[in-house]
Amino acid sequence: MSRNAKINSLLLLLVVVLAVVPLVFGLGDHKEEPFAGADAEAETAITEIDPDYEPWFSPLYEPPSGEIESALFALQAAIGAGVLAYYFGLRQGRRQGAERAQGVGTEADADDTAPAGPGA
């Protein structure tokens, strides 16, 4: 197993652990909404500290329901992941192109670029 494969496997395992551990150990079960967002937590804390607090800013768009708010958040995360994946793919492609231009390619690369023989 190559070094990159080991690192990727370790990172995947870490992501799975971070996603599963809170569910398995019941973290957050003592709350009404155990996995509410940070905005809801902050609003609760502010209300406890100062019940008469009036926000000085209102959102530009207030989704009609929590499901739509969650969907918009997931869309935002997906777009961000797509931008990151595009950037890293582009960077990897440029690096591979530079290596091929310098002749540092692997044997598999040489086989792909070899001229086809008769009957091919």
Side-chain angles (χ1 to χ4, degrees):
M1 184 182 265
S2 72
R3 182 173 185 260
N4 284 340
K6 289 179 184 177
I7 291 172
N8 288 341
S9 299
L10 183 63
L11 288 174
L12 181 63
L13 179 66
L14 181 65
V15 167
V16 169
V17 167
L18 287 173
V20 172
V21 166
L23 299 173
V24 171
F25 290 113
L27 302 176
D29 281 345
H30 62 283
K31 299 178 183 175
E32 199 173 296
E33 292 182 31
F35 297 107
D39 292 345
E41 294 288 328
E43 185 178 345
T44 303
I46 290 170
T47 305
E48 288 175 2
I49 293 169
D50 184 8
D52 298 328
Y53 176 77
E54 287 289 326
W56 58 274
F57 182 82
S58 61
L60 298 175
Y61 172 70
E62 186 73 33
S65 70
E67 290 83 9
I68 293 175
E69 185 176 354
S70 294
L72 290 174
F73 182 75
L75 178 64
Q76 176 187 357
I79 290 170
V83 168
L84 284 175
Y86 175 78
Y87 169 74
F88 286 118
L90 183 66
R91 200 172 122 199
Q92 177 75 11
R94 285 184 178 171
R95 185 178 58 117
Q96 288 176 349
E99 287 175 359
R100 285 185 182 156
Q102 294 174 354
V104 183
T106 62
E107 286 183 28
D109 291 338
D111 291 342
D112 291 343
T113 58

